[in-house]
Amino acid sequence: MILEEFDFGNEAGDDVPPEELSAYFVEQSMFKKFTNQSNRLCVATAKKGVGKSALLQWLKISLPKKHPDDLVIKVRGSEVTRDAFKLINTLENPNDYIRDWMIRLCALVNREIAKTIDFAITDDQITIIESAELDGFKSKNLVGCLISRFEDILGKGKPKKQGIIDQLEILKRLDNPQVWILIDDLDATFQNTDKECLSLSTFFSACRYILQDISGINIRITMRSDVWPTIRRYDESLDKLEQYVEEISWSEKDFRKLLYRRIEAQSKEIPFELPDKTSYFTDEQYEEKVIALIFIPKVPWGDKEVYSYKVVHTLSYHRPRWAVQLSKLAQKNACYRRHEFITKEDIDDVWGEYGSKRIADLVAEHKHQCKNVEELVNGFRGEDRLMNRDELFICINNKIMNHMSVFIDDSKATSPREVARFLYRIGFLVARSEDDSGYHHYNYSDIVVVN
């Protein structure tokens, strides 16, 4: 039975080997902007589990193939802290923060360029190599090793190393290749304080200034979609950055391809035969047939039957990581029950365990927006899963607002509507409409919310 041996793969795309990620990565049309050199700054925002880190991991793999002579630098947000560059001066105003970020970004590039230089000729090359050696980012060159070995003999005659005085100016003068800076999880530890908002907002100003001053630099950044609006409200000057920000989203079509690619990749590992792809099949029909090797093709959903991948798309709130987690739990249940395929019954059986994980994720993800988010979610315990708008507002008023003051993004909520909108925005509430063809679910990102 294929299901017993099948592996849905790692839930975190950035934790897998490059060849594995390449085997099942779904390249959305929007991602083409991130590989285009003419788009020098791109910011991908998304909720946790939507694929921000996987996107940068894929860029690290694909950019050298498309631009073999370019230098690709991938780092986490934790690797561009002030401590990582031994910066200890006090920052007092926004310009200080901007200059500080520019130093860090230029030093990051200079370190990587230093690693590529085998024999330094110019003063600038020697300087960045010596700086990288001092910081532990490059092995010492031959001359440096000899000087260190005989430094006691040389004494006062030993050449003195010169630290970098201006990282930006040296990077300007270097004959450097095209450089791609990939920064993942820039906001990993973000808390909504004035200091952190100032630090993050000035980072983007620093990026703009570097791109204006130095040619050949391309910057790609990922951050949580709930953090970007926060710093955008904090710093009005970021309105110039809006044009560079793209939200990662997953349609039903993308989810179908996601499951198809993972099954296709496993067919070569286990292995097992895939259906013959005849000229009679469209791509959509063929992907559905392949998915039917693991999932029951269609399952009851309200008053109709829908494709299993559409149910997974809805119940995972359009997040690939959650989809993989749900599929793994349902697979385990199906194997325990000796089912040949994953059924709706298997998904229903694991809903309690899966739902608890999702609530914990939502609380951790949005705590910085609302300190009471866990209490808000717990306020719905024991309530019907389906409510109309009036019933929802009554529930929020009776079980939440009558018992606590709720602050959302530092502003006190004054009506059930504001609380409901926040819970809808973070994905705890989902909208639903009904028509002759059945009912449809809508997340916050699917529609324009009107006050």
Side-chain angles (χ1 to χ4, degrees):
M1 188 167 68
I2 297 175
L3 194 61
E4 290 183 341
E5 299 182 65
F6 189 83
D7 182 5
F8 279 99
N10 200 305
E11 299 164 11
D14 55 327
D15 285 347
V16 300
E19 60 275 8
E20 180 179 338
L21 181 65
S22 298
Y24 55 66
F25 186 82
V26 177
E27 183 179 350
Q28 299 183 26
S29 58
M30 182 268 283
F31 295 167
K32 294 178 181 178
K33 293 183 178 181
F34 286 74
T35 60
N36 190 336
Q37 282 184 335
S38 63
N39 299 320
R40 299 188 62 199
L41 176 62
C42 290
V43 182
T45 63
K47 294 181 178 295
K48 286 186 176 181
V50 173
K52 303 185 298 296
S53 297
L55 169 60
L56 289 198
Q57 182 76 339
W58 173 75
L59 286 174
K60 183 182 178 182
I61 299 167
S62 59
L63 285 173
K65 296 177 182 177
K66 188 174 182 179
H67 309 286
D69 297 326
D70 294 1
L71 180 62
V72 180
I73 307 168
K74 180 177 178 291
V75 294
R76 303 179 186 90
S78 60
E79 296 175 75
V80 289
T81 62
R82 303 193 76 218
D83 289 344
F85 296 89
K86 299 181 174 62
L87 297 173
I88 58 174
N89 57 305
T90 302
L91 306 180
E92 296 181 352
N93 57 61
N95 286 333
D96 290 341
Y97 278 85
I98 293 172
R99 179 67 183 177
D100 193 75
W101 275 117
M102 293 177 73
I103 291 172
R104 282 184 260 174
L105 291 172
C106 291
L108 179 68
V109 176
N110 288 336
R111 284 175 176 177
E112 294 300 319
I113 292 176
K115 293 178 185 179
T116 67
I117 299 174
D118 294 324
F119 187 77
I121 299 176
T122 68
D123 288 342
D124 286 338
Q125 287 178 337
I126 294 171
T127 302
I128 66 169
I129 287 177
E130 290 184 343
S131 177
E133 290 172 359
L134 287 170
D135 290 339
F137 287 91
K138 180 178 172 64
S139 299
K140 290 185 176 180
N141 58 29
L142 177 60
V143 175
C145 288
L146 291 173
I147 290 175
S148 297
R149 182 66 59 87
F150 296 107
E151 59 183 0
D152 292 336
I153 299 175
L154 291 171
K156 294 182 179 180
K158 177 183 64 176
K160 294 182 179 180
K161 292 186 176 182
Q162 180 180 359
I164 291 182
I165 298 174
D166 194 326
Q167 297 275 7
L168 178 62
E169 289 303 317
I170 286 185
L171 183 55
K172 283 182 183 179
R173 295 194 297 265
L174 284 172
D175 184 19
N176 58 286
Q178 288 282 330
V179 178
W180 300 78
I181 305 175
L182 316 178
I183 304 179
D184 189 24
D185 279 342
L186 177 67
D187 56 336
T189 60
F190 177 78
Q191 298 295 320
N192 192 6
T193 64
D194 284 345
K195 183 177 180 180
E196 293 205 32
C197 285
L198 176 61
S199 179
L200 265 186
S201 63
T202 51
F203 166 82
F204 290 100
S205 296
C207 288
R208 288 185 58 241
Y209 295 161
I210 285 176
L211 297 181
Q212 291 168 9
D213 294 344
I214 306 175
S215 62
I217 304 289
N218 300 279
I219 303 176
R220 304 294 184 257
I221 306 151
T222 65
M223 62 189 304
R224 300 200 306 272
S225 54
D226 55 288
V227 173
W228 171 252
T230 299
I231 64 169
R232 172 67 180 82
R233 287 191 299 269
Y234 180 85
D235 186 351
E236 293 183 359
S237 69
L238 293 183
D239 60 346
K240 298 177 181 178
L241 269 294
E242 291 283 1
Q243 59 185 313
Y244 306 118
V245 180
E246 294 283 349
E247 176 83 11
I248 303 176
S249 62
W250 288 77
S251 65
E252 289 183 346
K253 176 183 176 182
D254 294 327
F255 251 66
R256 185 183 67 238
K257 189 169 289 293
L258 169 74
L259 293 175
Y260 160 72
R261 292 292 301 274
R262 296 224 172 193
I263 296 171
E264 181 187 42
Q266 274 291 288
S267 71
K268 301 170 184 177
E269 293 289 330
I270 294 179
F272 57 87
E273 293 292 328
L274 295 179
D276 291 333
K277 187 173 183 179
T278 68
S279 58
Y280 302 106
F281 289 137
T282 63
D283 288 342
E284 177 179 349
Q285 290 170 333
Y286 183 70
E287 288 171 3
E288 288 167 352
K289 283 188 70 68
V290 170
I291 293 173
L293 295 173
I294 301 298
F295 292 85
I296 287 288
K298 287 190 174 183
V299 299
W301 191 246
D303 297 329
K304 59 180 180 178
E305 288 198 337
V306 301
Y307 284 103
S308 290
Y309 71 84
K310 293 186 178 183
V311 174
V312 174
H313 177 251
T314 299
L315 297 183
S316 63
Y317 298 90
H318 308 182
R319 303 193 192 197
R321 186 188 303 165
W322 290 7
V324 173
Q325 290 174 350
L326 177 58
S327 298
K328 286 181 176 180
L329 289 172
Q331 176 193 16
K332 183 178 179 180
N333 190 79
C335 291
Y336 175 77
R337 290 179 172 273
R338 305 301 299 168
H339 292 168
E340 188 176 357
F341 308 101
I342 295 174
T343 67
K344 179 61 162 56
E345 179 185 10
D346 297 311
I347 293 175
D348 291 340
D349 284 348
V350 301
W351 183 253
E353 180 181 356
Y354 172 76
S356 297
K357 291 177 181 289
R358 300 292 66 77
I359 289 174
D361 284 347
L362 284 176
V363 169
E365 184 176 358
H366 298 284
K367 193 79 172 178
H368 71 277
Q369 292 176 276
C370 176
K371 293 181 180 179
N372 306 113
V373 63
E374 187 168 5
E375 288 85 347
L376 300 188
V377 170
N378 288 333
F380 286 84
R381 290 188 182 277
E383 295 295 326
D384 291 336
R385 293 180 63 184
L386 182 63
M387 301 181 188
N388 60 35
R389 186 184 63 176
D390 292 339
E391 291 169 341
L392 174 63
F393 288 174
I394 290 172
C395 175
I396 293 173
N397 196 59
N398 291 342
K399 300 193 69 174
I400 297 173
M401 301 198 72
N402 285 346
H403 301 280
M404 70 178 75
S405 296
V406 180
F407 288 84
I408 300 170
D409 294 327
D410 293 331
S411 298
K412 184 177 180 179
T414 58
S415 69
R417 179 188 292 272
E418 293 179 55
V419 175
R421 179 177 174 130
F422 172 69
L423 292 174
Y424 183 42
R425 178 154 53 100
I426 70 174
F428 178 72
L429 296 179
V430 178
R432 180 174 129 166
S433 68
E434 297 187 34
D435 54 34
D436 293 338
S437 63
Y439 61 82
H440 310 275
H441 291 97
Y442 303 93
N443 284 331
Y444 182 81
S445 58
D446 295 329
I447 62 176
V448 177
V449 181
V450 180
N451 286 317

